Amino acid sequence: YVCHRIAFVRQNMMCMRRWFILALLALSSLVYANTYYVASSGGKDSNPGTLSQPWATWQYAFNKLSAGDTLYVRGGTWSPTSAVLVNSISGTFNNNIYILNYPGELPVLDCSNFTNTGSNDRGLVFSDCIYLYVRGLTIQNCKQKVNDQYIVGVAVVNAIGGPFWLDQVTSHGHWGHGFQWSGYDTLYVTNCDSYNNADSISVVEGI
């Protein structure tokens, strides 16, 4: 009877230990999930990224994200001089990364000031990113600076190994393609809009 009792107690302790470890793992996933903010005015990239002290640029904000994080992009217009390149920023199966417009606000990336004269130019590029959900952004006016320059407003490239979401994203006014995606497992494109995108500079000068 005593032996059975000891075995039963040990079994209970082992079960409790397993549950304790699982609870710690779940807690750690919650602890490291952060909410950040980026704003077109009043922000600094040296700020902590809070609602009252937001970051200033999309590039910096996107690069700071890790699995489980949510970034709210406040309303307003950003006008950088080069593309926003998001490389190898990924969530996990249980912890997506969310890049969202702040509720009721419209964030705009205006590409009119881009200076790249290479063979191609893009407004917003996600490369090697998975378990990433993007909602409510507008990208506009990526234009050709030289003849035969290949233009894309929003590109999703090499999203291999997990899903990627584009929701309510608008891409317009580009002198090329509104959206482009290549190399992906599961890509969800919902309620997105692409319009007024056309090649405005002829390959041959004078035509």
Side-chain angles (χ1 to χ4, degrees):
Y1 172 78
V2 173
C3 291
H4 286 303
R5 182 180 179 84
I6 292 173
F8 179 74
V9 170
R10 285 179 177 171
Q11 206 168 34
N12 276 352
M13 289 179 65
M14 290 177 65
C15 288
M16 290 175 64
R17 189 178 300 165
R18 288 195 189 99
W19 282 111
F20 180 70
I21 292 172
L22 289 173
L24 283 178
L25 290 173
L27 181 61
S28 66
S29 68
L30 293 174
V31 169
Y32 292 105
N34 300 298
T35 299
Y36 297 113
Y37 301 84
V38 58
S40 60
S41 62
K44 296 180 180 179
D45 285 342
S46 58
N47 282 347
T50 61
L51 180 60
S52 60
Q53 294 181 289
W55 291 321
T57 64
W58 287 23
Q59 187 67 72
Y60 183 86
F62 292 175
N63 286 342
K64 297 293 288 186
L65 299 177
S66 57
D69 288 347
T70 297
L71 173 68
Y72 284 106
V73 187
R74 300 300 305 269
T77 300
W78 283 259
S79 300
T81 58
S82 61
V84 177
L85 305 175
V86 188
N87 295 315
S88 302
I89 305 297
S90 294
T92 64
F93 181 79
N94 293 316
N95 291 284
N96 294 329
I97 293 175
Y98 296 92
I99 299 174
L100 312 173
N101 66 305
Y102 192 81
E105 298 185 0
L106 177 63
V108 177
L109 178 69
D110 188 273
C111 310
S112 299
N113 294 332
F114 282 15
T115 59
N116 179 16
T117 57
S119 61
N120 64 81
D121 202 8
R122 299 170 183 179
L124 176 60
V125 182
F126 295 95
S127 179
D128 298 293
C129 300
I130 56 175
Y131 293 106
L132 183 59
Y133 183 98
V134 182
R135 185 199 72 194
L137 307 182
T138 291
I139 295 82
Q140 64 186 30
N141 300 331
C142 190
K143 301 177 181 180
Q144 292 173 310
K145 278 68 70 181
V146 294
N147 287 337
D148 205 22
Q149 188 178 40
Y150 189 78
I151 297 295
V152 174
V154 181
V156 178
V157 183
N158 296 329
I160 304 298
F164 190 102
W165 292 266
L166 289 173
D167 182 26
Q168 302 174 53
V169 176
T170 299
S171 185
H172 72 92
H174 307 294
W175 292 10
H177 300 280
F179 291 93
Q180 180 191 53
W181 34 78
S182 61
Y184 55 87
D185 284 345
T186 306
L187 176 64
Y188 297 93
V189 181
T190 56
N191 302 310
C192 292
D193 200 2
S194 175
Y195 63 93
N196 290 345
N197 301 302
D199 186 343
S200 297
I201 297 182
S202 173
V203 175
V204 181
E205 293 184 1
I207 297 178

